[in-house]
Amino acid sequence: MLRLFGFIALALGLAASASAQTRPLLTEEAETAPAGTLVLEVGLDAIKNEPNFLTGRRRDRYDGPVLRAIFSPANNVEMDVEWTTRVGVHGDPDFGSLSDFGDVSLRAKVRLLSSPDSRWTLGARFGVTLPETGGEQGLGPNALRMLAQMLASSHIGSTALHANAGLAIHDEIDSPPAQQDFLAYGLAASRPFRQDLAVVAEVAGLLGPSVPGVAARSEARLGVRLKRAHLTGDLALRRGLAQADGSWGLSFGVSLHSRNGGAAATQAPGGP
């Protein structure tokens, strides 16, 4: 575990982004895209050996396709809707292979302050996740979840650093109306290797006490983004760090960036 954190810390020290783009990471930038920008994203996440929160026995899990639409109604505001169309598992020792519809998340981000030279930015993000995935076989908690975070971004040369911290509240699945409160955190960075290719890294998750189905989670990701005109492709290696996480996995997707005011948008807003 210490070696893994050392590796991530080194990646963060080397890492930044040529544009405001969250995929394939979970940490949100404080920057916002210009008014009128629209971004459509399609992605897929998969991880091995994730424990079933009902039985504790491990199986392989996938989430996706994940569909996300992000719109900027103003220069300092972004709003997005995300739907995980399918949640599925393979090789569950008790339930076999099965799937269900995924949850829907609604989020809003506001850029609060930024320096005149755009070297640092502060913002806030609010979100709610509406339960759609059934919990009878351990696919999803089928509980309401909310999020409120402060966001900070800073640029050091070509390197961009991002930090998130706030409150996540999850309804418990077996003793309503009880709930669990978590510290929702994220630390991320990205650095361009050339004009159209960037490397990205992060550690993100939830810190706090866990009960079945409502568990603390932490995950490290290391990946790349490749941009071509209005399309951006991404790929990341995932490593679960908490007991409720799986072991190793992948995340990949494609983002389509709209035009803004007749010109190609140079910044794309992020997602979760």
Side-chain angles (χ1 to χ4, degrees), residues 100-124:
D100 195 4
F101 292 109
D103 297 335
V104 175
S105 296
L106 307 173
R107 307 183 189 93
K109 180 171 69 171
V110 179
R111 175 166 48 84
L112 301 174
L113 294 171
S114 59
S115 64
D117 57 0
S118 299
R119 304 308 296 176
W120 59 265
T121 305
L122 298 178

Side-chain angles (χ1 to χ4, degrees), residues 45 55 70 84 103 115 162 164 171-172 214 226 251 253 256:
D45 289 351
T55 66
I70 310 106
T84 304
D103 297 335
S115 64
H162 309 285
N164 299 170
D171 286 348
E172 292 188 13
V214 187
L226 179 63
S251 178
L256 173 63

Side-chain angles (χ1 to χ4, degrees), residues 212-228:
V214 187
R217 295 179 177 272
S218 288
E219 182 177 309
R221 295 192 179 197
L222 179 65
V224 293
R225 295 192 189 108
L226 179 63
K227 187 169 184 177
R228 290 284 189 271

Side-chain angles (χ1 to χ4, degrees), residues 3 14 20 36 45 50 72 81 94 96 103 119 201 209 211 235 245 254:
R3 287 195 297 269
L14 294 176
D45 289 351
E50 183 187 76
S72 298
V81 57
D94 300 290
D103 297 335
R119 304 308 296 176
V211 297
L235 174 67
D245 294 313
V254 176

